[in-house]
Amino acid sequence: MLMPQLSSLMPQLHSAVRLKITDIRIVNLKVVRETGKIEAAWNPGTFITERIGGGSVIEIHSDQGLSGIGPGMDPALLDAAKSQLIGKDPFDIERLAGPLRYYVGGSPRTVSALEIALWDLIGKASGQPLYKIWGAAKDRVPAYASMIQLSTPEERVRMAVELKSQGWKAIKLRAHYATLKEDVQLVEAVRKAVGDDMEIMVDANQAQSSGTWQPGVMWDFRRALETARELERLHCAWLEEPRLRYSFDELAELSRLVGIPIAGGENNRGVHEYRWILEQNVYSIVQPDIMVADGVTGFREIAALTQAHHKRLIPHHGGGNLGTIAQLHAIASWPNSPWIEILHDPPIAAQGRDLVCHTGVAQSATPHRPIEPVPVQPAKYGRDDDIKIATERLVR
């Protein structure tokens, strides 16, 4: 009974377009303007200049006139990327994944950028957004506003109230004061101001280094435990990275002792590290980053492992711009991924405003439309209607 149905599909299958990669290009984007300097809580004493626009994207071109776009990559690796991809079919992404990591994988960002562009090309050729190709679990994803600065409790209260009035459903605060008491007072003040109908996440950023030293206040296990208990009392959604990156035993013990979920993993690399994390019950919430973990291929393998271990997956922000948009599609394909992180600390660092959009990554429903990088413009994030993946472009 199946054979007639299968044979009826054969003409369509035989006529499907087979793509061949013809070129890879780096496209530099214009800086529209600088918005100011900001001091990240996890890197005190160092100021970052924030800009609207700037940076670069890559384009992977094909013989059918379609192209895929991804975040910028190291120009020194462009020739190596071309040697691995030109003449190949982008749909053979599993076959391409190994050589890309071996010959071009000195930088995890480069592999991720190339795989995002390959998937963008696949989406355009298929006429479908990536979250549909990957198996849509939902078509709307709520965003949380992730603060960058430590600032003061008074200013963070004003910010939280303003964000809530704009429709944001959650805010992530940075716990980087010299004392536990000050960290708790910050969260208490924000909780009192926004009430119980806005989620509060707290990030200690204690896993920035792969070793045992990093700038700023460093926590021991006792501070992590006491902070977790205080945040649980304040009904916080999770405590993020309260200990060193590879302090797996301590983190697992902390997870066992407290009720608040412990989250982390944004700086871990390779599927094997996440397997260790999951097997040792290190975190309740796993947070890989598509630009750090192991490309799109590894990112999706980590997601499968996380779901098999019955854990939530809430990725790190993805670097903004096209990395974040690609992550949005991945999150929408996972039933155990309830949030997307947007670095959003206005007025200087408002990445809800300055995402770069591309038709194929943000919405692949018009695959044959000529594609060009779009100037950075305001975008809607965190509003009551969440992020409408299939029906709205993220950038107007």
Side-chain angles (χ1 to χ4, degrees):
M1 294 296 294
L2 294 177
M3 292 305 294
Q5 296 177 12
L6 181 60
S7 62
S8 68
L9 291 174
M10 292 306 290
Q12 181 180 349
L13 292 174
H14 284 306
S15 63
V17 174
R18 303 296 294 176
L19 299 181
K20 183 180 291 187
I21 296 167
T22 57
D23 197 10
I24 306 172
R25 302 172 190 170
I26 297 175
V27 180
N28 293 318
L29 302 179
K30 179 182 178 181
V31 174
V32 178
R33 64 184 175 90
E34 292 186 355
T35 58
K37 295 182 183 296
I38 196 166
E39 182 184 17
W42 57 89
N43 200 9
T46 301
F47 289 83
I48 305 167
T49 300
E50 294 286 337
R51 299 177 177 88
I52 296 178
S56 63
V57 297
I58 60 169
E59 295 176 339
I60 297 182
H61 292 261
S62 74
D63 61 347
Q64 300 295 323
L66 298 174
S67 62
I69 191 170
M73 61 172 282
D74 183 352
L77 296 171
L78 182 59
D79 286 343
K82 287 182 177 182
S83 70
Q84 294 305 312
L85 294 180
I86 288 179
K88 306 293 177 57
D89 184 340
F91 279 83
D92 296 341
I93 196 161
E94 289 289 341
R95 187 181 301 172
L96 300 172
L100 275 180
R101 281 154 181 76
Y102 190 86
Y103 294 108
V104 195
S107 162
R109 178 181 175 85
T110 293
V111 171
S112 297
L114 290 165
E115 290 194 339
I116 288 171
L118 288 169
W119 275 109
D120 184 33
L121 187 50
I122 290 168
K124 290 177 182 147
S126 304
Q128 293 291 328
L130 293 183
Y131 85 106
K132 289 286 191 182
I133 293 174
W134 290 336
K138 48 188 173 285
D139 60 10
R140 295 153 74 102
V141 177
Y144 72 85
S146 185
M147 300 295 97
I148 298 172
Q149 304 171 94
L150 180 59
S151 191
T152 65
E154 294 77 18
E155 189 279 331
R156 295 289 84 167
V157 165
R158 289 195 298 271
M159 178 65 69
V161 170
E162 179 181 349
L163 290 172
K164 183 180 179 182
S165 72
Q166 294 172 357
W168 290 84
K169 298 175 176 63
I171 182 171
K172 184 160 78 178
L173 304 170
R174 305 289 166 173
H176 288 263
Y177 287 111
T179 66
L180 182 155
K181 181 179 179 180
E182 291 172 291
D183 284 337
V184 173
Q185 286 175 338
L186 165 68
V187 182
E188 284 178 331
V190 172
R191 174 58 78 204
K192 182 178 180 180
V194 301
D196 292 330
D197 57 345
M198 187 178 194
E199 294 274 18
I200 298 175
M201 300 84 166
V202 177
D203 194 344
N205 292 110
Q206 294 294 300
Q208 293 298 111
S209 169
S210 61
T212 58
W213 183 91
Q214 63 182 50
V217 176
M218 295 190 67
W219 292 12
D220 58 14
F221 181 81
R222 179 177 178 179
R223 177 158 177 177
L225 177 60
E226 292 179 357
T227 301
R229 286 173 171 163
E230 289 290 334
L231 298 182
E232 186 174 346
R233 175 179 63 84
L234 293 166
H235 309 295
C236 292
W238 69 72
L239 171 58
E240 189 168 330
E241 292 191 331
R243 285 294 288 131
L244 301 173
R245 189 186 307 176
Y246 295 106
S247 292
F248 289 170
D249 290 345
E250 286 191 8
L251 288 161
E253 178 67 3
L254 182 64
S255 291
R256 188 185 68 81
L257 291 173
V258 300
I260 185 174
I262 304 300
E266 69 187 55
N267 291 302
N268 289 92
R269 286 186 57 184
V271 176
H272 63 289
E273 290 199 8
Y274 293 91
R275 179 172 60 81
W276 297 339
I277 287 169
L278 290 162
E279 289 176 350
Q280 297 176 51
N281 204 30
V282 172
Y283 296 123
S284 298
I285 298 171
V286 181
Q287 298 177 307
D289 188 304
I290 198 169
M291 301 304 297
V292 177
D294 186 16
V296 179
T297 302
F299 190 63
R300 296 177 68 222
E301 290 176 6
I302 292 161
L305 283 173
T306 303
Q307 189 168 359
H309 282 80
H310 308 290
K311 302 287 188 181
R312 281 184 289 168
L313 180 68
I314 305 176
H316 188 238
H317 56 71
N321 301 327
L322 295 174
T324 302
I325 294 171
Q327 275 197 171
L328 172 60
H329 283 262
I331 290 168
S333 73
W334 300 328
N336 60 327
S337 190
W339 292 100
I340 183 169
E341 178 180 21
I342 303 295
L343 284 176
H344 191 74
D345 202 343
I348 295 173
Q351 291 192 6
R353 170 196 64 209
D354 53 61
L355 281 177
V356 174
C357 174
H358 185 272
T359 301
V361 176
Q363 179 184 340
S364 296
T366 54
H368 300 297
R369 180 176 176 178
I371 301 304
E372 296 178 359
V374 179
V376 183
Q377 300 175 22
K380 284 203 330 184
Y381 272 103
R383 309 300 185 180
D384 289 333
D385 56 353
D386 305 325
I387 300 175
K388 297 181 181 177
I389 303 169
T391 60
E392 290 188 3
R393 291 188 61 180
L394 296 182
V395 174
R396 301 290 179 181

